[in-house]
Amino acid sequence: MTPRAPILRAAVLALATAACALGAGAETVRIANQGDALSMDPHSLNESLQLSITQNVYEPLVGRAKDLSLTPALATSWRQTSPTVWRFELRKGVQFHDGTPFNADDVLFSFARAAGEGSDMRSYMNDVQEVRKIDDHTVEVETKVPFPILPDVLSQVAIMSKKWSETNQATRPVDRRKGVENAASFRANGTGPFRLRERQPNVRTTFSRNGTYWGKIEGNATEVIFTPIANDSTRVAALLSGEVHVMEPIPVQDIARVNAHPATRAVTGPELRTIFLGMDQKRDELQFSSVKGKNPFKDKRVRQAFYQAIDIEGIKRTVMRGASNPTALMVGPGINGFAPELNTRLPYNPEAARKLLADAGYPNGFEVTLNCPNDRYVNDGQICETVAANLSRIGVKVNLAAETKGTYFPKILRRDTSFYMLGWTPSTYDAHNALNALMRCVDDKGSGQFNLGSYCNPKVDELIVKIQAETDKPKRDAMIKEAFKLHGDDIGHLPLHQQALAWGVNRKVDLVQLADNYMPFKWITVKK
């Protein structure tokens, strides 16, 4: 028995005793995930599990409907008053969970907080020139250049209470790169349909229905208990036994088992997330490599060798059990700007990869560390193990450093890595999001905030700025295609695949599965 087993048993026991059974009250929903949100601060980490959880408590100005279309949230309407100015009419009569009225001052404060030091949401605000208060329920957002998708971008920026944040010394976000915490890490005061009642990091987080919520809560859950269970088999067992009502992800090998059980079902569907590998292309010498005095990843031949050494169809077949779509692009189908004609991968060819390495001056390969999470994406650890085995065939010795996302993300967000895995869902459902966050040259204003290997092509940057401002869709799509072509020709990253969603759900529970992998509690219903 591993040392972890008592912890796992304790987690399942906590789930079993924390709330009533389904039939008793039909109002408590117990959810398990392989990982936990790293903070309750909505600006501290731009990661979908974190945002999925915190957006039940905090809200943006512009929300998303069940079909992912834009819908009013804390703003009832919005319109452009000029090519670079958007006016938002704010919802009246809204209160934060502590009873403080919501108004324009909270919007100005929250946007400044999201754009400031320590924020992981800066890339959403880096093209905002100024935010102005017109009156208590009207704000204007001026952008540096025309920005037709600004409402889509702001759908990810949560609004916090200025008064609460100042009272609790939480005016700046917690910086996950530095391990900094403040009151917003463990407590929350939003306007959303659920309130944070108890927070025990990596153990259990409990939410209760907000009885003074301004909007309609369609579901009947009055309490949601979220528990991280990292071990796949333990998580599946908790679902099958009824100790949890919803869990994700189902390991791909267990989907049939979950569907065959009389009390559970698998809810599956395509996900907008692309899984890829990034490489440090900035440092003159890699931090974690046997190569001294130079950086092999600055050579396109080395990057292409790594690309062509990865057997992506083998990963799909043996690791993902068919539940993935290999990709040549950093965005997938369903994202505006996806170019299917460019979605053809370079062929898997170890012989060609070995020749590329030799031509680049590494006939015997070299050593490099690959940083990976082992509890964030579907079979992430196994994917990295397979990549390491693939690369060994061309003489590259990969030292695999796989760890929990709680320590993994702070490390790679500090750019304390030479070679890493990341998954990205464009939160605006538009290719500009991925281009701006992942492929734009890095600056100190939030551009390229998640371009952790510092890939940089000025021609791509020029296109990104033009894409942002272009309102003619055919012209815009052509520029997106050109940017992706340049990035692909550069081998700027190593795209792998889009993974599929697989949630395990008790048959007495109805919910909505969104392609961005968010799980709104307000749409969860327990059938009597």
Side-chain angles (χ1 to χ4, degrees):
M1 182 177 292
T2 65
R4 192 166 182 156
I7 298 174
L8 293 171
R9 285 203 306 269
V12 173
L13 181 61
L15 286 166
T17 59
C20 59
L22 274 172
E27 294 177 335
T28 293
V29 177
R30 301 191 293 276
I31 300 172
N33 192 289
Q34 66 178 351
D36 195 7
L38 300 185
S39 171
M40 291 295 102
D41 189 324
H43 301 151
S44 68
L45 185 65
N46 185 19
E47 186 249 347
S48 58
L49 174 60
Q50 170 113 353
L51 297 178
S52 173
I53 291 176
T54 57
Q55 281 200 7
N56 289 290
V57 177
Y58 291 99
E59 295 178 294
L61 295 186
V62 183
R64 293 282 178 181
K66 293 178 183 178
D67 63 357
L68 294 180
S69 62
L70 293 179
T71 189
L74 290 179
T76 56
S77 64
W78 50 91
R79 61 186 175 90
Q80 282 185 279
T81 58
S82 78
T84 59
V85 176
W86 287 81
R87 177 168 289 200
F88 293 83
E89 303 296 335
L90 305 183
R91 192 175 298 278
K92 298 177 181 178
V94 176
Q95 292 184 342
F96 287 95
H97 296 159
D98 66 354
T100 303
F102 156 73
N103 61 38
D105 292 331
D106 302 304
V107 176
L108 269 62
F109 165 78
S110 297
F111 284 179
R113 190 180 191 271
E117 181 182 349
S119 170
D120 214 34
M121 308 299 286
R122 294 179 71 190
S123 63
Y124 295 93
M125 304 300 298
N126 65 311
D127 290 299
V128 171
Q129 179 71 37
E130 184 183 4
V131 184
R132 296 186 289 268
K133 174 182 176 180
I134 305 303
D135 58 41
D136 279 350
H137 293 95
T138 310
V139 297
E140 284 187 347
V141 179
E142 182 177 354
T143 56
K144 298 173 183 175
V145 297
F147 200 0
I149 61 168
L150 179 68
D152 300 81
V153 171
L154 295 184
S155 70
Q156 292 298 309
V157 182
I159 304 302
M160 298 181 69
S161 165
K162 180 176 185 288
K163 178 183 177 183
W164 183 89
S165 299
E166 290 174 345
T167 300
N168 289 278
Q169 291 79 51
T171 55
R172 290 185 177 181
V174 300
D175 190 338
R176 295 303 307 174
R177 297 162 184 79
K178 300 177 181 178
V180 178
E181 305 284 5
N182 65 24
S185 305
F186 307 102
R187 290 184 279 143
N189 181 40
T191 60
F194 282 79
R195 302 168 181 252
L196 176 65
R197 194 171 76 209
E198 181 189 27
R199 170 69 173 163
Q200 297 183 45
N202 297 313
V203 178
R204 181 175 62 249
T205 305
T206 304
F207 305 88
S208 58
R209 189 182 184 103
N210 177 13
T212 60
Y213 184 55
W214 59 264
K216 180 180 179 181
I217 301 177
E218 295 182 18
N220 66 359
T222 57
E223 179 183 60
V224 175
I225 301 173
F226 180 94
T227 303
I229 303 178
N231 182 275
D232 287 344
S233 59
T234 305
R235 201 167 60 253
V236 172
L239 175 70
L240 299 180
S241 69
E243 290 163 348
V244 301
H245 308 140
V246 182
M247 61 81 87
E248 64 160 321
I250 307 174
V252 290
Q253 64 270 20
D254 287 321
I255 291 176
R257 180 184 173 202
V258 169
N259 274 328
H261 193 279
T264 62
R265 73 189 195 280
V267 179
T268 60
E271 186 176 9
L272 299 177
R273 187 188 316 278
T274 297
I275 306 296
F276 62 90
L277 301 175
M279 305 147 287
D280 179 356
Q281 298 170 56
K282 182 178 182 180
R283 291 182 175 91
D284 292 330
E285 179 180 299
L286 291 179
Q287 287 182 294
F288 308 104
S289 169
S290 61
V291 179
K292 302 304 176 186
K294 58 181 176 178
N295 179 348
F297 287 139
K298 287 191 174 187
D299 192 320
K300 175 186 170 180
R301 293 170 295 183
V302 173
R303 302 195 298 271
Q304 185 171 335
F306 274 49
Y307 188 129
Q308 294 198 253
I310 296 173
D311 182 4
I312 196 64
E313 291 295 335
I315 290 173
K316 177 179 179 178
R317 183 176 60 254
T318 62
V319 179
M320 300 301 291
R321 307 288 182 97
S324 65
N325 292 313
T327 185
L329 292 172
M330 297 289 280
V331 300
I335 298 300
N336 183 53
F338 173 73
E341 61 272 29
L342 295 181
N343 197 31
T344 301
R345 290 180 59 86
L346 294 173
Y348 167 59
N349 191 330
E351 287 298 324
R354 276 192 286 269
K355 184 176 186 306
L356 283 164
L357 274 186
D359 291 346
Y362 306 97
N364 299 315
F366 56 89
E367 288 187 35
V368 66
T369 296
L370 172 58
N371 296 106
C372 285
N374 56 19
D375 59 0
R376 179 59 194 99
Y377 311 116
V378 177
N379 292 341
D380 43 15
Q382 298 96 307
I383 292 169
C384 289
E385 289 172 4
T386 305
V387 167
N390 288 168
L391 291 173
S392 71
R393 296 172 190 158
I394 65 168
V396 174
K397 180 182 177 183
V398 173
N399 299 311
L400 180 58
E403 59 190 308
T404 176
K405 72 189 189 82
T407 53
Y408 175 75
F409 280 119
K411 177 184 296 182
I412 66 165
L413 291 174
R414 292 193 303 268
R415 292 178 164 77
D416 191 15
T417 181
S418 297
F419 188 30
Y420 62 92
M421 169 186 273
L422 195 63
W424 191 264
T425 301
S427 56
T428 59
Y429 316 113
D430 186 273
H432 174 269
N433 172 267
L435 288 165
N436 183 59
L438 302 175
M439 290 167 265
R440 195 169 179 177
C441 300
V442 179
D443 65 22
D444 60 359
K445 298 178 181 178
S447 296
Q449 187 174 8
F450 298 92
N451 180 4
L452 305 179
S454 296
Y455 161 79
C456 186
N457 182 331
K459 292 182 179 179
V460 173
D461 270 30
E462 289 176 13
L463 284 165
I464 291 172
V465 174
K466 292 178 181 178
I467 289 164
Q468 175 180 305
E470 183 57 63
T471 57
D472 183 284
K473 181 171 171 51
K475 290 181 180 179
R476 190 174 188 271
D477 287 347
M479 288 190 290
I480 290 172
K481 181 178 177 180
E482 185 181 353
F484 281 146
K485 179 70 165 55
L486 289 168
H487 174 265
D489 289 347
D490 288 340
I491 319 290
H493 294 79
L494 307 182
L496 298 178
H497 58 237
Q498 283 91 36
Q499 64 185 28
L501 289 174
W503 298 357
V505 182
N506 188 288
R507 291 186 185 273
K508 291 185 177 181
V509 172
D510 287 332
L511 44 64
V512 176
Q513 184 180 74
L514 301 175
D516 59 5
N517 203 26
Y518 282 29
M519 187 185 296
F521 300 160
K522 67 180 180 180
W523 293 333
I524 298 178
T525 295
V526 180
K527 293 176 284 190
K528 304 290 185 179

